[in-house]
Amino acid sequence: MPDEKKPAFAGNITADDVAAEAGVSRWTVNRAFRKDASISSKSLEKVRIAAERLGYVPDLRAASLASDRSNLVALLIDDFANPHKLVMMERLTRILRREGWDILLVNTLDRADAGHALLNASQRRVDAVILIGIQFDDDVLDTALHARRFRKLIIFARTSRNPNTISIAVDDVHAMREIANYVHERGYRRPMFLAGPRTSSAHLLRKETFVDYWRQHFGSEPETVAVSAYDPELAAKVVETTLSARKKASLPDILVCENDALAIGATDVIRHKLGLRIPEDIAITGFDDVPQAEGANYRLTTYRQPLTDMAEYLVEVLDSREDRDFDRLFRGKLTVRESA
Amino acid sequence: MPDEKKPAFAGNITADDVAAEAGVSRWTVNRAFRKDASISSKSLEKVRIAAERLGYVPDLRAASLASDRSNLVALLIDDFANPHKLVMMERLTRILRREGWDILLVNTLDRADAGHALLNASQRRVDAVILIGIQFDDDVLDTALHARRFRKLIIFARTSRNPNTISIAVDDVHAMREIANYVHERGYRRPMFLAGPRTSSAHLLRKETFVDYWRQHFGSEPETVAVSAYDPELAAKVVETTLSARKKASLPDILVCENDALAIGATDVIRHKLGLRIPEDIAITGFDDVPQAEGANYRLTTYRQPLTDMAEYLVEVLDSREDRDFDRLFRGKLTVRESA
DNA sequence: TTTAATTTTGCTCCCGCGTGCAAATGTCTA
DNA sequence: TAGACATTTGCACGCGGGAGCAAAATTAAA
């Protein structure tokens, strides 16, 4: 009695095998695995059973090839030093997966590499590219968009003025004004703004907004300092070299940081290297509300982005077949803690 | 003169289009994009130019379908609260991409979801699955392996006793003994071990090793406490409830933590909630050497995993067509700072 | 210069599934 | 129960490119 049962090893079970097993045609089998399928519950059941027995799962490569929809999006990141990225990835992967989207994770190694990263994604024929990094200049975006290798290029958590790009972000202007008002209300008068890297395209309007608003409404011109990456360690170095030489009287009374990554680095160095108290000697605000901002060590006053709402809107955008302007700004929430 | 030039919009440029443009056959075009190709430099040049002009990029879905190699690996994660994951992702994405591998990022939502996550990956016909999370029980692994949906199932940065699985990890036993010796040498006598969640399969041997070793060599039985996830916030809570009620004399003199995520949470709560000094009142050790361990705030004595070596070995494993035992343990490095 | 060895090129036949339509089957009403 | 309509099912063809071999072109040897 040679090979009574099929080999348990599923060399490659295709829809044809399942069709034979279930006594239907291949197309019926495939239909059973599509949600919009028009199929009788009877044959659906037959197919399910046969597929189960054979261990069949549809091949998404083939499906994608035939249908020209991959249900795959590329997620391009570069600044892995920013702890907020972990939060964003968690939220995006969770929600995208729930809605049937898979994610190709691409590490954009450096600015020169952005083009390669995009090309990489295009070879997999992703339906969209999501940028949550920082090193994307307009020329790279334009090249990518010109080649039209993907239908949608989404800049997440960052506003962009590029008209061919979809930007889903928090309303930086509104947020920064709220922070400025709060800072002033609490009695701070000599703010210093700690900014991140400037890129020509995907830009944060936080620094500009804060500085302009403060000047217009409260008279004085805030100092500003820039860090070349959203990296706590780098921020710490910059803050140290900027502040350590100063006399106590000429120190700012508050450090308004472009995001929590910078604020965290600043906090550490202010406390441990400069030996100052927060908020008594210098107060600090951040932006993003990363998990550790809430912890006992930082208790950071910051601004929370509505990431879940943003991710859900992102899915909407991905699913949409329209060709309208998808840009959208969200309102976040000022979260007050003890740091300012 | 109707449509003199081709539409700039690359609806879908295929190898056929390029072949026509370059005056060669389709197969020559495809060969031009494979690195092992046997092609004359003359036609390679012609193809390159034509491809450039038309904006052609080979379709990896089709290539994968035809060749049965996708050059895609799935990366399954669940514990996004652990900052070390960010480091691991950075390293893996960097090295894998450099070697021509793309990454499918899958968020394993919870333990019950692991099966779905695996199935998800299998539908894309990934060449391998890499697990860097924690919620993978043996039954899930066995199901996945039994279905034989991928050639390799790699457990990264965690040892596994499952014989069908490839484990690339640091030698926990060696590392923990080194830590235990160091702790004892420094004069600590009442250690408490702060452990993470226990899963039946992908297991860390750190707690067992430390406790056994300490008992055997130094007589006393260390206390142990467990946290249900590698999450600093959770660790903080557990440590607070465990230690806050005790008199100072009955406190441990050192907290040996299974990894930095726990150590960070513990540090915060010990300093800010219990009002104790580190290391004078309680010392702390971690494991992983996350970026913030080096920062001014934590200065954590910890153990660094050779992630780059491990990732490079991972690539070797992926590329190999042999069927041998790939399990491998690496030696890391004890990194001493001020916390212990 | 002719023949043999070698490299390059073209081609047939798949890979596994979706699209759109026609045939078949089922359901409802009069 | 026949006719009209709705639902299911089957099928030819195509998506873009790889494997392996045969034909053609190029190079080396005699």
Side-chain angles (χ1 to χ4, degrees):
Chain A
M1 51 205 82
D3 53 65
E4 276 191 276
K5 56 185 172 185
K6 300 232 169 42
F9 171 76
N12 236 353
I13 302 289
T14 78
D16 281 306
D17 303 323
V18 179
E21 176 87 11
V24 297
S25 73
R26 174 174 77 68
W27 293 271
T28 303
V29 171
N30 290 335
R31 267 190 275 258
F33 285 90
R34 256 173 292 160
K35 62 168 186 281
D36 60 322
S38 148
I39 188 178
S40 70
S41 52
K42 210 183 311 171
S43 36
L44 193 149
E45 194 53 25
K46 282 196 290 186
V47 171
R48 279 222 190 292
I49 290 173
E52 175 85 16
R53 173 158 47 235
L54 266 47
Y56 167 78
V57 242
D59 185 329
L60 254 42
R61 298 172 305 180
S64 153
L65 188 58
S67 72
D68 205 43
R69 285 200 82 224
S70 60
N71 269 284
L72 227 202
V73 297
L75 190 63
L76 269 60
I77 318 189
D78 49 19
D79 56 337
F80 284 85
N82 183 348
H84 191 228
K85 285 299 184 289
L86 208 43
V87 181
M88 288 181 43
M89 291 172 85
E90 200 283 330
R91 211 60 55 85
L92 285 174
T93 50
R94 166 187 300 276
I95 290 171
L96 284 175
R97 206 188 127 204
R98 193 185 66 198
E99 304 294 329
W101 292 90
D102 285 334
I103 294 183
L104 200 66
L105 178 63
V106 184
N107 182 348
T108 313
L109 305 176
D110 55 58
R111 188 151 315 191
D113 181 61
H116 291 137
L118 250 4
L119 192 125
N120 214 50
S122 76
Q123 301 207 165
R124 298 271 175 201
R125 300 296 191 266
V126 298
D127 288 331
V129 173
I130 304 174
L131 266 42
I132 64 172
I134 51 174
Q135 300 177 337
F136 301 99
D137 290 324
D138 269 325
D139 53 346
V140 172
L141 295 188
D142 282 338
T143 307
L145 287 163
H146 186 71
R148 280 258 184 259
R149 297 229 186 76
F150 4 82
R151 321 202 206 316
K152 287 165 185 158
L153 211 170
I154 298 169
I155 303 200
F156 191 79
R158 193 163 297 268
T159 45
S160 159
R161 280 182 292 264
N162 191 315
N164 297 313
T165 257
I166 300 169
S167 160
I168 300 176
V170 81
D171 185 340
D172 279 334
V173 172
H174 186 269
M176 242 22 249
R177 288 184 182 165
E178 197 173 340
I179 292 177
N181 281 329
Y182 174 79
V183 166
H184 190 263
E185 262 172 37
R186 300 282 297 183
Y188 300 105
R189 290 296 177 269
R190 299 190 313 283
M192 170 182 273
F193 193 92
L194 188 61
R198 310 276 92 179
T199 60
S200 55
S201 110
H203 206 80
L204 291 179
L205 302 171
R206 295 175 198 164
K207 185 181 95 173
E208 290 75 358
T209 305
F210 182 81
V211 171
D212 293 352
Y213 189 83
W214 191 274
R215 188 193 312 111
Q216 286 177 23
H217 292 259
F218 311 128
S220 65
E221 179 80 19
E223 289 186 89
T224 68
V225 182
V227 183
S228 64
Y230 294 116
D231 178 346
E233 305 298 313
L234 273 178
K237 287 204 187 88
V238 169
V239 170
E240 188 175 5
T241 59
T242 306
L243 299 186
S244 64
R246 299 201 186 183
K247 298 213 183 76
K248 196 152 179 183
S250 69
L251 287 175
D253 56 2
I254 186 167
L255 211 51
V256 177
C257 303
E258 196 167 287
N259 68 19
D260 288 355
L262 304 178
I264 284 172
T267 301
D268 289 353
V269 81
I270 285 174
R271 241 187 226 146
H272 300 282
K273 293 280 175 68
L274 307 182
L276 300 172
R277 291 161 306 159
I278 296 171
E280 294 82 352
D281 299 320
I282 299 188
I284 294 192
T285 66
F287 204 111
D288 285 344
D289 199 15
V290 299
Q292 53 264 58
E294 195 189 354
N297 190 62
Y298 295 103
R299 302 297 307 155
L300 192 62
T301 291
T302 184
Y303 192 91
R304 169 176 301 180
Q305 303 195 36
L307 277 188
T308 300
D309 293 348
M310 288 161 64
E312 268 158 6
Y313 177 66
L314 168 59
V315 170
E316 246 179 69
V317 171
L318 290 178
D319 285 329
S320 170
R321 305 194 133 279
E322 305 169 49
D323 191 24
R324 56 181 166 87
D325 178 22
F326 288 105
D327 282 13
R328 183 154 152 195
L329 293 180
F330 288 75
R331 289 282 162 87
K333 188 169 175 350
L334 180 66
T335 304
V336 174
R337 301 204 180 88
E338 288 80 59
S339 80
Chain B
M1 51 206 82
D3 54 63
E4 276 190 276
K5 56 184 176 187
K6 301 229 167 41
F9 171 76
N12 238 352
I13 303 289
T14 79
D16 282 305
D17 303 323
V18 179
E21 177 87 11
V24 297
S25 73
R26 172 171 81 68
W27 295 273
T28 303
V29 172
N30 289 336
R31 268 189 275 259
F33 285 90
R34 254 173 296 162
K35 62 169 188 285
D36 60 322
S38 148
I39 189 176
S40 70
S41 52
K42 209 182 313 168
S43 36
L44 194 150
E45 194 54 25
K46 282 196 291 186
V47 171
R48 279 221 191 291
I49 291 172
E52 176 85 15
R53 172 156 50 237
L54 267 47
Y56 167 77
V57 242
D59 186 327
L60 255 42
R61 297 172 306 180
S64 154
L65 186 58
S67 72
D68 205 43
R69 285 199 83 223
S70 60
N71 270 284
L72 228 201
V73 298
L75 190 63
L76 270 60
I77 318 190
D78 49 19
D79 56 335
F80 282 85
N82 182 350
H84 190 230
K85 285 300 183 293
L86 208 43
V87 181
M88 289 182 41
M89 291 173 85
E90 199 284 329
R91 212 60 55 83
L92 286 174
T93 50
R94 165 186 301 276
I95 290 172
L96 285 175
R97 205 189 126 202
R98 194 184 68 199
E99 304 293 330
W101 292 90
D102 285 334
I103 295 182
L104 200 66
L105 179 63
V106 183
N107 183 347
T108 314
L109 305 177
D110 55 58
R111 189 151 313 190
D113 182 60
H116 291 138
L118 251 4
L119 192 126
N120 215 48
S122 76
Q123 303 209 156
R124 298 271 174 201
R125 299 295 190 266
V126 298
D127 288 332
V129 173
I130 304 174
L131 266 41
I132 64 173
I134 51 174
Q135 301 177 336
F136 301 100
D137 290 323
D138 269 325
D139 52 345
V140 171
L141 296 188
D142 283 338
T143 306
L145 287 163
H146 185 70
R148 279 258 184 260
R149 297 229 184 76
F150 4 84
R151 322 198 203 319
K152 288 164 184 158
L153 211 170
I154 299 170
I155 303 200
F156 191 80
R158 193 163 296 266
T159 46
S160 160
R161 280 183 294 265
N162 192 314
N164 297 314
T165 257
I166 299 170
S167 160
I168 300 177
V170 80
D171 185 340
D172 280 333
V173 172
H174 185 270
M176 242 20 251
R177 287 182 182 166
E178 197 174 340
I179 292 178
N181 281 329
Y182 173 79
V183 165
H184 190 263
E185 263 172 36
R186 300 282 296 182
Y188 299 105
R189 291 295 177 269
R190 297 190 314 282
M192 171 182 273
F193 193 92
L194 188 60
R198 311 277 92 180
T199 60
S200 54
S201 111
H203 206 81
L204 291 179
L205 302 171
R206 294 176 197 162
K207 184 180 95 174
E208 290 76 357
T209 305
F210 182 82
V211 170
D212 293 351
Y213 190 82
W214 190 274
R215 189 193 312 111
Q216 285 177 25
H217 292 259
F218 311 127
S220 68
E221 180 80 17
E223 289 186 90
T224 68
V225 182
V227 183
S228 64
Y230 295 117
D231 178 346
E233 304 298 313
L234 273 179
K237 287 206 186 87
V238 169
V239 170
E240 188 175 6
T241 58
T242 307
L243 299 185
S244 63
R246 299 199 185 185
K247 297 212 184 77
K248 197 155 181 182
S250 68
L251 286 175
D253 56 2
I254 186 167
L255 211 51
V256 176
C257 302
E258 197 167 286
N259 67 18
D260 288 355
L262 303 179
I264 284 172
T267 302
D268 290 353
V269 80
I270 285 174
R271 237 185 227 148
H272 300 282
K273 293 280 175 69
L274 306 182
L276 300 172
R277 291 161 307 159
I278 296 171
E280 294 84 351
D281 299 319
I282 300 189
I284 293 193
T285 65
F287 204 111
D288 286 343
D289 200 14
V290 299
Q292 54 264 58
E294 195 188 354
N297 189 62
Y298 295 103
R299 303 298 307 153
L300 192 61
T301 292
T302 183
Y303 192 90
R304 171 177 299 180
Q305 304 195 35
L307 277 189
T308 300
D309 293 348
M310 288 162 64
E312 268 157 7
Y313 177 66
L314 169 60
V315 170
E316 248 180 67
V317 172
L318 290 178
D319 284 329
S320 170
R321 302 194 132 281
E322 307 169 48
D323 190 26
R324 57 182 166 85
D325 178 22
F326 288 105
D327 282 13
R328 183 154 152 195
L329 292 181
F330 288 74
R331 288 282 162 87
K333 188 170 174 348
L334 181 65
T335 303
V336 174
R337 300 203 182 88
E338 289 79 56
S339 80

